[in-house]
Amino acid sequence: MQINIQRQRKTLPVYKLRKKLLREIRNHDSLIIIGETGSGKTTQIPQFLLSKEFIGESGCIGITQPRRLAAVSVAHRVAQEQGVQLGKLVGYCVRFDDKTSPQTQIKFLTDGMMVREAMTDEILSDYSVIILDEAHERSVQTDVLFGVAKRAQNLRKLKGLTPLKLLIMSATMDVDKFAKYFQAPVVYLEGRQHPVEVQQSIQTHEDYVMAALATAFQIHRKAPPNEDILVFLTGQEEIENAVQLAEEAARQLDGKGYPNLRVFPLYSALQTHLQLEAFKSSPQGMRKLVLSTNVAETSVTIEGICHIIDTGVAKVRTYHPTTGSEVLKVEKITKAQAWQRTGRAGRERPGKCYRIYTKSEFKQMKEMPIPEIQRCSLTGVALNLLAIGVDITTFDFMDKPSKESVDVAVTCLERLGAVKGSPPQLTTLGRTMSLFPLDPRFTKALLASVEHGCLEEALTVIALLSGESVFTEPYTKRDQAYAAKARFASNEGDHVTLLNVYRGYINAAHKKAWCHENFLHHRNLEYALNVRDQLARVAKCANLEKSSCGTNTEPLRKSLLEGLADNIAELQRDRTYVTLGARYPVAIHPSSTLHASKPPLVLFTEVVNTGKCYIRGLSVIEPCWLNAKISSTG
Ligand code: ADP
Ligand code: MG
């Protein structure tokens, strides 16, 4: 195995250019590296730099990824190539999961984690080299990190400290723009490893899930075993349902002379060890079918994948400054993303990509995604930047976010009591808030819960809101699932319902069986428990006093209100809802326990847009709580 891996490493395009690359890195403070998918950038370049020349006696190479899955899986691979145990020489650090030690010299982390590190150490002194990988993805945190890393590099220069090298890597990007922003030369690495043939649909498909599964099974019936298949879908629920359908179809083919088919889901809320299951190569004579969200779109290599099925859609988070809320929506991907998806095949041998959309649909796609910084809430970003010591209104962004959304963010932080003055300054409360890896509005709710005497309950609810839904609704057993959910339902709303689920789960003796009986997601509950532990730890570090409100949930709902005071909807005379303030029409999502009862005033967690604006994750609140708040602040 080791010998094979070492031999394979030497065949990667990046290996041949090693000398040239090292020379360029030596000669420049910042360097842009462009190389096609599979050329070996992510896994090899950090290993090339593993010498005294580049990292001194105790330096570290940090490689950032926009997604935690990429950081984790690539760290595993590089540890394997180095023949070391993960967490020692090679490690990773992502939100709620740190696998590093003082010996770690190659550290994979998410952009967000690196930004967090800058909050306590603005010059990022642990690092000799920082590699900003998948720079073209332009996630909010990548964009923030661009500026933060540049600033750290300059500060170190000014202070005469050890220089910081910055490498910016990608397969595709707007080279001129990056070169200008980083004032850095560009190196190109040639060569994809293996060709990938692209097949477009002849007709348009309304039901892309069924079309994708049909394609997968056509491939399954024809292709030799061990040619594995990767399908791009949009979200957890869709994927879990598709897994069931695929498993059922596979059972029907069982014993008919086809290779054995194993189906794996892959999405961000899945526990790490289950995510990694999808990465293992299928045993001899079998086939693997991976159903994934766009977490598998960049960076990762899933062993054995020869066939890609691209549905051409993805779930995208967008922000509406007018309603002040973020919306999750299924949207068409861009051409750049389509090519990234195609590139997931052909990493180990020639491959094929089946696009479930026509040539003309492809032509109509946008070239590149709009940078997330221009379409998301900036509240968290503004808080993080202030904690680093930077004012968001003057920050050196590659693409400036609109003034409107910057203003909304600063106003929101003012309302939460995290900042004051002009230019905005962090308050003591704001400093504490910046410790939590959460949306500032949830952090505020958490801090408010200390005052209201319900920290335990707030930790629970916020942890549950941080992951994917804990309720399952299998297509075939909808009614039973609803009946099960009704057992936890509270007429005070969905947050209290979540609390009831958690309490039931904690007390259940046989957790898996209990979840199964109650149509609950065991994995998602375990994930939430883990998040809760981490948050409780931060709360302890911040000296927050433990408290519980027991069965009276009023303090909990009041605490949530302090964080989410912009998310209130009011019942109208015609039995519809509008948001307070902006008076934007919304409807209660059918999944809410308050869907039928329609209370006069509700607090909501998020908005989902499926043609209509639905509000989800609700709590009943009392009008007098609003007045009390206004009089206490005004
Ligand atoms: P790049 O970052 O340039 O897209 P990578 O460094 O991620 O390329 O991967 C280079 C090659 O290393 C892949 O094409 C594949 O052959 C191999 N590889 C990387 N990760 C894995 C893995 N987890 N399992 C098997 N092979 C891998
Ligand atoms: Mg890569």
Side-chain angles (χ1 to χ4, degrees), residues 471-500:
F471 299 102
T472 65
E473 272 177 29
Y475 276 150
T476 47
K477 295 182 189 152
R478 278 255 150 92
D479 292 343
Q480 283 130 289
Y482 289 155
K485 192 172 171 183
R487 292 200 278 275
F488 302 101
S490 157
N491 52 15
E492 287 162 351
D494 303 305
H495 299 120
V496 178
T497 304
L498 284 176
L499 190 61
N500 292 341

PDB file of all heavy atoms in Angstrom, residues 471-500:
ATOM      1  N   PHE A 471     -35.908  15.492  12.677  1.00  0.00           N
ATOM      2  CA  PHE A 471     -37.102  14.722  12.328  1.00  0.00           C
ATOM      3  C   PHE A 471     -36.929  14.048  10.968  1.00  0.00           C
ATOM      4  O   PHE A 471     -36.383  14.648  10.054  1.00  0.00           O
ATOM      5  CB  PHE A 471     -38.326  15.636  12.278  1.00  0.00           C
ATOM      6  CG  PHE A 471     -38.614  16.292  13.594  1.00  0.00           C
ATOM      7  CD1 PHE A 471     -38.271  17.617  13.813  1.00  0.00           C
ATOM      8  CD2 PHE A 471     -39.202  15.573  14.627  1.00  0.00           C
ATOM      9  CE1 PHE A 471     -38.523  18.231  15.035  1.00  0.00           C
ATOM     10  CE2 PHE A 471     -39.447  16.179  15.856  1.00  0.00           C
ATOM     11  CZ  PHE A 471     -39.106  17.511  16.059  1.00  0.00           C
ATOM     12  N   THR A 472     -37.392  12.814  10.861  1.00  0.00           N
ATOM     13  CA  THR A 472     -37.345  12.157   9.554  1.00  0.00           C
ATOM     14  C   THR A 472     -38.772  11.990   9.039  1.00  0.00           C
ATOM     15  O   THR A 472     -39.704  11.826   9.820  1.00  0.00           O
ATOM     16  CB  THR A 472     -36.697  10.768   9.610  1.00  0.00           C
ATOM     17  OG1 THR A 472     -37.527   9.929  10.407  1.00  0.00           O
ATOM     18  CG2 THR A 472     -35.313  10.822  10.214  1.00  0.00           C
ATOM     19  N   GLU A 473     -38.897  12.050   7.740  1.00  0.00           N
ATOM     20  CA  GLU A 473     -40.219  11.876   7.130  1.00  0.00           C
ATOM     21  C   GLU A 473     -40.115  10.974   5.919  1.00  0.00           C
ATOM     22  O   GLU A 473     -40.119  11.447   4.799  1.00  0.00           O
ATOM     23  CB  GLU A 473     -40.755  13.241   6.671  1.00  0.00           C
ATOM     24  CG  GLU A 473     -41.509  13.982   7.720  1.00  0.00           C
ATOM     25  CD  GLU A 473     -41.944  15.350   7.215  1.00  0.00           C
ATOM     26  OE1 GLU A 473     -42.157  15.505   5.998  1.00  0.00           O
ATOM     27  OE2 GLU A 473     -42.056  16.254   8.046  1.00  0.00           O
ATOM     28  N   PRO A 474     -39.958   9.678   6.132  1.00  0.00           N
ATOM     29  CA  PRO A 474     -39.842   8.799   4.968  1.00  0.00           C
ATOM     30  C   PRO A 474     -41.108   8.893   4.107  1.00  0.00           C
ATOM     31  O   PRO A 474     -42.214   8.941   4.660  1.00  0.00           O
ATOM     32  CB  PRO A 474     -39.705   7.401   5.576  1.00  0.00           C
ATOM     33  CG  PRO A 474     -39.770   7.548   7.042  1.00  0.00           C
ATOM     34  CD  PRO A 474     -39.974   8.960   7.406  1.00  0.00           C
ATOM     35  N   TYR A 475     -40.919   8.931   2.803  1.00  0.00           N
ATOM     36  CA  TYR A 475     -42.050   9.059   1.869  1.00  0.00           C
ATOM     37  C   TYR A 475     -43.184   8.103   2.196  1.00  0.00           C
ATOM     38  O   TYR A 475     -44.344   8.452   2.193  1.00  0.00           O
ATOM     39  CB  TYR A 475     -41.580   8.700   0.444  1.00  0.00           C
ATOM     40  CG  TYR A 475     -40.936   9.834  -0.288  1.00  0.00           C
ATOM     41  CD1 TYR A 475     -39.953   9.580  -1.247  1.00  0.00           C
ATOM     42  CD2 TYR A 475     -41.307  11.139  -0.043  1.00  0.00           C
ATOM     43  CE1 TYR A 475     -39.349  10.608  -1.946  1.00  0.00           C
ATOM     44  CE2 TYR A 475     -40.713  12.185  -0.735  1.00  0.00           C
ATOM     45  CZ  TYR A 475     -39.727  11.919  -1.681  1.00  0.00           C
ATOM     46  OH  TYR A 475     -39.143  12.933  -2.360  1.00  0.00           O
ATOM     47  N   THR A 476     -42.792   6.855   2.482  1.00  0.00           N
ATOM     48  CA  THR A 476     -43.783   5.795   2.596  1.00  0.00           C
ATOM     49  C   THR A 476     -44.505   5.786   3.936  1.00  0.00           C
ATOM     50  O   THR A 476     -45.516   5.125   4.086  1.00  0.00           O
ATOM     51  CB  THR A 476     -43.087   4.440   2.401  1.00  0.00           C
ATOM     52  OG1 THR A 476     -41.905   4.450   3.211  1.00  0.00           O
ATOM     53  CG2 THR A 476     -42.723   4.216   0.951  1.00  0.00           C
ATOM     54  N   LYS A 477     -43.937   6.488   4.938  1.00  0.00           N
ATOM     55  CA  LYS A 477     -44.551   6.419   6.267  1.00  0.00           C
ATOM     56  C   LYS A 477     -44.838   7.811   6.815  1.00  0.00           C
ATOM     57  O   LYS A 477     -44.650   8.078   7.998  1.00  0.00           O
ATOM     58  CB  LYS A 477     -43.618   5.684   7.224  1.00  0.00           C
ATOM     59  CG  LYS A 477     -43.411   4.239   6.848  1.00  0.00           C
ATOM     60  CD  LYS A 477     -42.513   3.579   7.869  1.00  0.00           C
ATOM     61  CE  LYS A 477     -42.118   2.190   7.397  1.00  0.00           C
ATOM     62  NZ  LYS A 477     -40.824   1.779   7.931  1.00  0.00           N
ATOM     63  N   ARG A 478     -45.297   8.698   5.947  1.00  0.00           N
ATOM     64  CA  ARG A 478     -45.547  10.077   6.360  1.00  0.00           C
ATOM     65  C   ARG A 478     -46.443  10.175   7.589  1.00  0.00           C
ATOM     66  O   ARG A 478     -46.120  10.853   8.555  1.00  0.00           O
ATOM     67  CB  ARG A 478     -46.224  10.851   5.207  1.00  0.00           C
ATOM     68  CG  ARG A 478     -45.257  11.361   4.185  1.00  0.00           C
ATOM     69  CD  ARG A 478     -45.068  12.876   4.351  1.00  0.00           C
ATOM     70  NE  ARG A 478     -43.723  13.254   3.927  1.00  0.00           N
ATOM     71  CZ  ARG A 478     -43.419  13.647   2.681  1.00  0.00           C
ATOM     72  NH1 ARG A 478     -44.346  13.729   1.772  1.00  0.00           N
ATOM     73  NH2 ARG A 478     -42.174  13.951   2.392  1.00  0.00           N
ATOM     74  N   ASP A 479     -47.574   9.436   7.551  1.00  0.00           N
ATOM     75  CA  ASP A 479     -48.570   9.582   8.618  1.00  0.00           C
ATOM     76  C   ASP A 479     -48.012   9.161   9.968  1.00  0.00           C
ATOM     77  O   ASP A 479     -48.198   9.854  10.970  1.00  0.00           O
ATOM     78  CB  ASP A 479     -49.824   8.765   8.281  1.00  0.00           C
ATOM     79  CG  ASP A 479     -50.551   9.373   7.092  1.00  0.00           C
ATOM     80  OD1 ASP A 479     -50.263  10.558   6.782  1.00  0.00           O
ATOM     81  OD2 ASP A 479     -51.368   8.671   6.463  1.00  0.00           O
ATOM     82  N   GLN A 480     -47.305   8.012   9.958  1.00  0.00           N
ATOM     83  CA  GLN A 480     -46.703   7.567  11.224  1.00  0.00           C
ATOM     84  C   GLN A 480     -45.693   8.594  11.736  1.00  0.00           C
ATOM     85  O   GLN A 480     -45.594   8.833  12.923  1.00  0.00           O
ATOM     86  CB  GLN A 480     -45.998   6.229  11.041  1.00  0.00           C
ATOM     87  CG  GLN A 480     -46.938   5.063  10.977  1.00  0.00           C
ATOM     88  CD  GLN A 480     -46.630   4.204   9.773  1.00  0.00           C
ATOM     89  OE1 GLN A 480     -46.882   4.605   8.646  1.00  0.00           O
ATOM     90  NE2 GLN A 480     -46.059   3.025  10.011  1.00  0.00           N
ATOM     91  N   ALA A 481     -44.940   9.175  10.772  1.00  0.00           N
ATOM     92  CA  ALA A 481     -43.933  10.161  11.163  1.00  0.00           C
ATOM     93  C   ALA A 481     -44.593  11.377  11.812  1.00  0.00           C
ATOM     94  O   ALA A 481     -44.127  11.884  12.831  1.00  0.00           O
ATOM     95  CB  ALA A 481     -43.102  10.575   9.961  1.00  0.00           C
ATOM     96  N   TYR A 482     -45.723  11.818  11.231  1.00  0.00           N
ATOM     97  CA  TYR A 482     -46.423  12.966  11.805  1.00  0.00           C
ATOM     98  C   TYR A 482     -46.930  12.638  13.202  1.00  0.00           C
ATOM     99  O   TYR A 482     -46.840  13.443  14.125  1.00  0.00           O
ATOM    100  CB  TYR A 482     -47.601  13.386  10.913  1.00  0.00           C
ATOM    101  CG  TYR A 482     -47.173  14.023   9.620  1.00  0.00           C
ATOM    102  CD1 TYR A 482     -47.992  13.995   8.499  1.00  0.00           C
ATOM    103  CD2 TYR A 482     -45.939  14.671   9.515  1.00  0.00           C
ATOM    104  CE1 TYR A 482     -47.611  14.585   7.301  1.00  0.00           C
ATOM    105  CE2 TYR A 482     -45.546  15.257   8.334  1.00  0.00           C
ATOM    106  CZ  TYR A 482     -46.379  15.205   7.226  1.00  0.00           C
ATOM    107  OH  TYR A 482     -45.996  15.781   6.055  1.00  0.00           O
ATOM    108  N   ALA A 483     -47.484  11.419  13.327  1.00  0.00           N
ATOM    109  CA  ALA A 483     -48.010  11.011  14.629  1.00  0.00           C
ATOM    110  C   ALA A 483     -46.886  11.004  15.664  1.00  0.00           C
ATOM    111  O   ALA A 483     -47.073  11.430  16.810  1.00  0.00           O
ATOM    112  CB  ALA A 483     -48.642   9.637  14.522  1.00  0.00           C
ATOM    113  N   ALA A 484     -45.705  10.541  15.244  1.00  0.00           N
ATOM    114  CA  ALA A 484     -44.570  10.490  16.161  1.00  0.00           C
ATOM    115  C   ALA A 484     -44.164  11.893  16.581  1.00  0.00           C
ATOM    116  O   ALA A 484     -43.920  12.167  17.753  1.00  0.00           O
ATOM    117  CB  ALA A 484     -43.396   9.767  15.509  1.00  0.00           C
ATOM    118  N   LYS A 485     -44.159  12.785  15.615  1.00  0.00           N
ATOM    119  CA  LYS A 485     -43.732  14.152  15.913  1.00  0.00           C
ATOM    120  C   LYS A 485     -44.718  14.826  16.878  1.00  0.00           C
ATOM    121  O   LYS A 485     -44.318  15.596  17.754  1.00  0.00           O
ATOM    122  CB  LYS A 485     -43.624  14.957  14.616  1.00  0.00           C
ATOM    123  CG  LYS A 485     -42.924  16.275  14.813  1.00  0.00           C
ATOM    124  CD  LYS A 485     -42.645  16.979  13.503  1.00  0.00           C
ATOM    125  CE  LYS A 485     -42.147  18.387  13.779  1.00  0.00           C
ATOM    126  NZ  LYS A 485     -41.925  19.162  12.565  1.00  0.00           N
ATOM    127  N   ALA A 486     -45.993  14.462  16.707  1.00  0.00           N
ATOM    128  CA  ALA A 486     -47.020  15.062  17.563  1.00  0.00           C
ATOM    129  C   ALA A 486     -46.759  14.758  19.041  1.00  0.00           C
ATOM    130  O   ALA A 486     -47.159  15.521  19.921  1.00  0.00           O
ATOM    131  CB  ALA A 486     -48.400  14.566  17.143  1.00  0.00           C
ATOM    132  N   ARG A 487     -46.084  13.635  19.320  1.00  0.00           N
ATOM    133  CA  ARG A 487     -45.799  13.287  20.717  1.00  0.00           C
ATOM    134  C   ARG A 487     -44.878  14.310  21.390  1.00  0.00           C
ATOM    135  O   ARG A 487     -44.856  14.427  22.589  1.00  0.00           O
ATOM    136  CB  ARG A 487     -45.141  11.904  20.781  1.00  0.00           C
ATOM    137  CG  ARG A 487     -46.079  10.779  20.389  1.00  0.00           C
ATOM    138  CD  ARG A 487     -45.595   9.442  20.922  1.00  0.00           C
ATOM    139  NE  ARG A 487     -44.563   8.827  20.093  1.00  0.00           N
ATOM    140  CZ  ARG A 487     -44.810   8.070  19.032  1.00  0.00           C
ATOM    141  NH1 ARG A 487     -46.054   7.859  18.649  1.00  0.00           N
ATOM    142  NH2 ARG A 487     -43.837   7.530  18.347  1.00  0.00           N
ATOM    143  N   PHE A 488     -44.073  15.016  20.587  1.00  0.00           N
ATOM    144  CA  PHE A 488     -43.148  15.992  21.164  1.00  0.00           C
ATOM    145  C   PHE A 488     -43.664  17.420  21.026  1.00  0.00           C
ATOM    146  O   PHE A 488     -43.134  18.338  21.617  1.00  0.00           O
ATOM    147  CB  PHE A 488     -41.783  15.910  20.479  1.00  0.00           C
ATOM    148  CG  PHE A 488     -41.167  14.550  20.568  1.00  0.00           C
ATOM    149  CD1 PHE A 488     -41.221  13.673  19.495  1.00  0.00           C
ATOM    150  CD2 PHE A 488     -40.536  14.157  21.742  1.00  0.00           C
ATOM    151  CE1 PHE A 488     -40.658  12.419  19.591  1.00  0.00           C
ATOM    152  CE2 PHE A 488     -39.967  12.907  21.841  1.00  0.00           C
ATOM    153  CZ  PHE A 488     -40.029  12.025  20.763  1.00  0.00           C
ATOM    154  N   ALA A 489     -44.690  17.568  20.179  1.00  0.00           N
ATOM    155  CA  ALA A 489     -45.130  18.907  19.796  1.00  0.00           C
ATOM    156  C   ALA A 489     -45.553  19.736  21.001  1.00  0.00           C
ATOM    157  O   ALA A 489     -46.185  19.226  21.931  1.00  0.00           O
ATOM    158  CB  ALA A 489     -46.279  18.807  18.802  1.00  0.00           C
ATOM    159  N   SER A 490     -45.201  20.989  20.960  1.00  0.00           N
ATOM    160  CA  SER A 490     -45.600  21.895  22.030  1.00  0.00           C
ATOM    161  C   SER A 490     -46.391  23.023  21.404  1.00  0.00           C
ATOM    162  O   SER A 490     -46.047  23.491  20.320  1.00  0.00           O
ATOM    163  CB  SER A 490     -44.357  22.469  22.701  1.00  0.00           C
ATOM    164  OG  SER A 490     -44.672  23.681  23.341  1.00  0.00           O
ATOM    165  N   ASN A 491     -47.445  23.472  22.091  1.00  0.00           N
ATOM    166  CA  ASN A 491     -48.182  24.605  21.520  1.00  0.00           C
ATOM    167  C   ASN A 491     -47.453  25.922  21.741  1.00  0.00           C
ATOM    168  O   ASN A 491     -47.932  26.980  21.388  1.00  0.00           O
ATOM    169  CB  ASN A 491     -49.626  24.661  22.020  1.00  0.00           C
ATOM    170  CG  ASN A 491     -49.687  24.602  23.524  1.00  0.00           C
ATOM    171  OD1 ASN A 491     -48.664  24.800  24.202  1.00  0.00           O
ATOM    172  ND2 ASN A 491     -50.865  24.328  24.055  1.00  0.00           N
ATOM    173  N   GLU A 492     -46.262  25.820  22.338  1.00  0.00           N
ATOM    174  CA  GLU A 492     -45.426  27.019  22.460  1.00  0.00           C
ATOM    175  C   GLU A 492     -44.467  27.135  21.276  1.00  0.00           C
ATOM    176  O   GLU A 492     -43.736  28.107  21.163  1.00  0.00           O
ATOM    177  CB  GLU A 492     -44.660  26.990  23.778  1.00  0.00           C
ATOM    178  CG  GLU A 492     -45.581  27.256  24.953  1.00  0.00           C
ATOM    179  CD  GLU A 492     -44.991  26.830  26.273  1.00  0.00           C
ATOM    180  OE1 GLU A 492     -43.935  26.170  26.266  1.00  0.00           O
ATOM    181  OE2 GLU A 492     -45.586  27.152  27.288  1.00  0.00           O
ATOM    182  N   GLY A 493     -44.444  26.106  20.442  1.00  0.00           N
ATOM    183  CA  GLY A 493     -43.673  26.228  19.205  1.00  0.00           C
ATOM    184  C   GLY A 493     -42.590  25.191  19.004  1.00  0.00           C
ATOM    185  O   GLY A 493     -42.463  24.233  19.759  1.00  0.00           O
ATOM    186  N   ASP A 494     -41.828  25.405  17.942  1.00  0.00           N
ATOM    187  CA  ASP A 494     -40.856  24.408  17.491  1.00  0.00           C
ATOM    188  C   ASP A 494     -39.605  24.342  18.370  1.00  0.00           C
ATOM    189  O   ASP A 494     -38.973  23.307  18.475  1.00  0.00           O
ATOM    190  CB  ASP A 494     -40.441  24.707  16.052  1.00  0.00           C
ATOM    191  CG  ASP A 494     -41.645  24.734  15.133  1.00  0.00           C
ATOM    192  OD1 ASP A 494     -42.382  23.738  15.107  1.00  0.00           O
ATOM    193  OD2 ASP A 494     -41.865  25.770  14.480  1.00  0.00           O
ATOM    194  N   HIS A 495     -39.231  25.453  18.967  1.00  0.00           N
ATOM    195  CA  HIS A 495     -38.032  25.419  19.817  1.00  0.00           C
ATOM    196  C   HIS A 495     -38.288  24.558  21.048  1.00  0.00           C
ATOM    197  O   HIS A 495     -37.460  23.749  21.437  1.00  0.00           O
ATOM    198  CB  HIS A 495     -37.628  26.838  20.211  1.00  0.00           C
ATOM    199  CG  HIS A 495     -37.295  27.696  19.019  1.00  0.00           C
ATOM    200  ND1 HIS A 495     -37.969  28.849  18.723  1.00  0.00           N
ATOM    201  CD2 HIS A 495     -36.372  27.530  18.042  1.00  0.00           C
ATOM    202  CE1 HIS A 495     -37.476  29.386  17.615  1.00  0.00           C
ATOM    203  NE2 HIS A 495     -36.508  28.596  17.172  1.00  0.00           N
ATOM    204  N   VAL A 496     -39.477  24.736  21.617  1.00  0.00           N
ATOM    205  CA  VAL A 496     -39.825  23.928  22.788  1.00  0.00           C
ATOM    206  C   VAL A 496     -40.007  22.463  22.370  1.00  0.00           C
ATOM    207  O   VAL A 496     -39.640  21.543  23.101  1.00  0.00           O
ATOM    208  CB  VAL A 496     -41.081  24.500  23.484  1.00  0.00           C
ATOM    209  CG1 VAL A 496     -41.474  23.635  24.668  1.00  0.00           C
ATOM    210  CG2 VAL A 496     -40.827  25.934  23.934  1.00  0.00           C
ATOM    211  N   THR A 497     -40.523  22.264  21.168  1.00  0.00           N
ATOM    212  CA  THR A 497     -40.641  20.903  20.649  1.00  0.00           C
ATOM    213  C   THR A 497     -39.261  20.249  20.578  1.00  0.00           C
ATOM    214  O   THR A 497     -39.082  19.093  20.981  1.00  0.00           O
ATOM    215  CB  THR A 497     -41.300  20.928  19.251  1.00  0.00           C
ATOM    216  OG1 THR A 497     -42.559  21.586  19.360  1.00  0.00           O
ATOM    217  CG2 THR A 497     -41.497  19.530  18.700  1.00  0.00           C
ATOM    218  N   LEU A 498     -38.288  21.005  20.091  1.00  0.00           N
ATOM    219  CA  LEU A 498     -36.915  20.480  20.020  1.00  0.00           C
ATOM    220  C   LEU A 498     -36.392  20.124  21.414  1.00  0.00           C
ATOM    221  O   LEU A 498     -35.737  19.108  21.614  1.00  0.00           O
ATOM    222  CB  LEU A 498     -35.976  21.508  19.383  1.00  0.00           C
ATOM    223  CG  LEU A 498     -36.065  21.677  17.870  1.00  0.00           C
ATOM    224  CD1 LEU A 498     -35.138  22.796  17.409  1.00  0.00           C
ATOM    225  CD2 LEU A 498     -35.703  20.378  17.151  1.00  0.00           C
ATOM    226  N   LEU A 499     -36.723  20.985  22.349  1.00  0.00           N
ATOM    227  CA  LEU A 499     -36.302  20.744  23.727  1.00  0.00           C
ATOM    228  C   LEU A 499     -36.908  19.430  24.236  1.00  0.00           C
ATOM    229  O   LEU A 499     -36.225  18.621  24.874  1.00  0.00           O
ATOM    230  CB  LEU A 499     -36.762  21.925  24.585  1.00  0.00           C
ATOM    231  CG  LEU A 499     -36.236  22.018  25.997  1.00  0.00           C
ATOM    232  CD1 LEU A 499     -34.720  22.136  25.987  1.00  0.00           C
ATOM    233  CD2 LEU A 499     -36.849  23.244  26.685  1.00  0.00           C
ATOM    234  N   ASN A 500     -38.165  19.203  23.909  1.00  0.00           N
ATOM    235  CA  ASN A 500     -38.829  17.954  24.315  1.00  0.00           C
ATOM    236  C   ASN A 500     -38.147  16.744  23.695  1.00  0.00           C
ATOM    237  O   ASN A 500     -37.987  15.709  24.334  1.00  0.00           O
ATOM    238  CB  ASN A 500     -40.305  17.972  23.899  1.00  0.00           C
ATOM    239  CG  ASN A 500     -41.102  19.009  24.676  1.00  0.00           C
ATOM    240  OD1 ASN A 500     -40.658  19.462  25.733  1.00  0.00           O
ATOM    241  ND2 ASN A 500     -42.246  19.398  24.148  1.00  0.00           N
TER     242      ASN A 500
END
